[in-house]
Structure formats: structure tokens, C-alpha cells
Amino acid sequence: MSRYPHPDLNTLPQDIRARILEVQEKSGFIPNVFLAFARRPAEWRAFFAYHDALMLKEEGSLTKGEREMIVTTTSAANQCLYCVVAHGAILRIYEKKPFIADQVAVNWRKADISPRERAMLEFAMKVCLNSQAVEPADIDALHAHGFDDEDAWDIAAITAFFGLSNRMASFAGMQPNPEFYLMGRVPREKKQCQ
């Protein structure tokens, strides 16, 4: 599962254990990233605080689906199996499109996405692969699609943060949970009212 054994959930500090149990309650399983990083509590707290600040914020024009699209696309460029599979699952759920994650991970330029999303990913990929070459024209291209300067910061920050995450997941040999592979691919069965 990983080069580093996961700590026993019962031995973790209470705040970390509570958050992990909350995620397990909501999703039905514990994503491996939560336990993999928990071996170093201070780093776990810093990692998830920044993750939440970027991915759960209400401000800005980026949707949750667009944020996950950035993660999936740039994680594919960084060849991070864990993040492509895990965040691809979340992307499929948010966008309610069973093929979208595969499309953006394999070739985002040919994916069935809007011109706005294409401009967003063009910028994210430049930050991912060639950040030193970002120039005012790149920001102007975002502006032309309704993004503002704060949105550009968000796109860059998400890309950079997940660059760290991608490298740690790959280095540690972190594997995606099997549950991620099927999430958002097949519509959930509707519960019958009795």
C-alpha cells in the first residue's frame, strides 16, 4: 500500500483521529492519504489546513468541480496515480460527468470541457510545467474568460500545492483506495420510497 506503514488510527492525536473518522463516516472509507500523512501529525495538520483553504473556500469564481479538474489534470502531468484516481473520482461526482476525469487526465486539450475550463487548464499546466515563464499575457487570457487576479492565484496555488502532494504520494508509493475507481462512473441507485 505504501513504503511507510500507516499508523494505527487509535494512536493518533485526537484532532487528527476525529477528522479521519468524520471523513470515513461521510465517504464510507478512509482515503489512504489521510493515514499516510498522519505518521507526522504536525505535517498532517499543515497539509490539510492548506488543502482545505484552497479546496473548500467559498470565495472566488472557481467551482469545486473546476478545482478538482485542475488537480486531476496537473496530477496526470506529474504522473501521480493516487491523485489522478482519487481527485478524478471527486471530479466525476462534482461535475456529474462519468468520462470527464479520464478525458482531462489523458488529454485535457481534447476533453469535452468549456472554453473557460480550457483557459483555466492552459494556465494551470503552464504553472505546473513552466511556472517561471508565466507572464502578463497568461493572466490576460484568464481575464478574457471571466477569471480575476484572485482566481489566477487560486489556480496557481492549487497547482503548486498538488505538485507537492503528487511528489509525496509518488515517493511514498501511496496507492488509491479501490473505492475511488468506481465513484461517479455509474449513477447511484435511487432509493425506493416505501
Side-chain angles (χ1 to χ4, degrees):
M1 182 173 307
S2 176
R3 279 192 182 88
Y4 293 89
H6 292 172
D8 181 333
L9 187 61
N10 296 316
T11 65
L12 295 176
Q14 181 55 36
D15 62 318
I16 294 174
R17 186 174 182 279
R19 172 80 184 272
I20 290 173
L21 291 174
E22 178 183 317
V23 168
Q24 181 181 33
E25 175 71 26
K26 184 175 180 182
S27 66
F29 65 99
I30 301 172
N32 288 333
V33 68
F34 282 88
L35 291 173
F37 284 148
R39 61 186 307 279
R40 292 189 169 194
E43 292 173 31
W44 187 99
R45 290 181 186 103
F47 179 88
F48 283 103
Y50 197 38
H51 170 278
D52 294 352
L54 293 172
M55 301 302 285
L56 303 179
K57 70 186 276 186
E58 299 295 327
E59 308 86 39
S61 72
L62 295 178
T63 67
K64 288 182 179 181
E66 287 171 336
R67 292 170 195 278
E68 295 297 340
M69 191 178 295
I70 294 165
V71 177
T72 303
T73 304
T74 60
S75 294
N78 291 327
Q79 299 181 38
C80 179
L81 176 64
Y82 185 89
C83 291
V84 169
V85 173
H87 291 276
I90 299 167
L91 170 59
R92 289 190 298 271
I93 290 166
Y94 283 152
E95 293 295 309
K96 296 176 178 50
K97 293 180 179 179
F99 308 121
I100 190 67
D102 297 323
Q103 291 176 350
V104 299
V106 173
N107 187 346
W108 62 272
R109 287 183 172 90
K110 295 189 178 197
D112 183 19
I113 58 177
S114 70
R116 170 188 161 88
E117 292 164 337
R118 197 169 314 285
M120 174 187 76
L121 294 181
E122 182 80 40
F123 181 72
M125 289 300 291
K126 189 163 188 180
V127 171
C128 178
L129 301 173
N130 202 14
S131 61
Q132 74 281 0
V134 172
E135 57 190 8
D138 299 311
I139 307 297
D140 293 342
L142 287 176
H143 291 167
H145 290 277
F147 295 104
D148 64 21
D149 289 347
E150 295 306 312
D151 296 325
W153 182 285
D154 287 342
I155 295 166
I158 291 165
T159 300
F161 174 77
F162 279 94
L164 164 89
S165 181
N166 297 160
R167 285 158 179 80
M168 290 304 294
S170 294
F171 149 77
M174 198 182 308
Q175 294 298 305
N177 300 69
E179 293 88 345
F180 283 127
Y181 286 96
L182 298 179
M183 289 171 53
R185 292 192 187 276
V186 181
R188 283 184 160 182
E189 291 182 24
K190 293 183 180 177
K191 294 181 180 180
Q192 299 292 327
C193 294
Q194 295 182 9

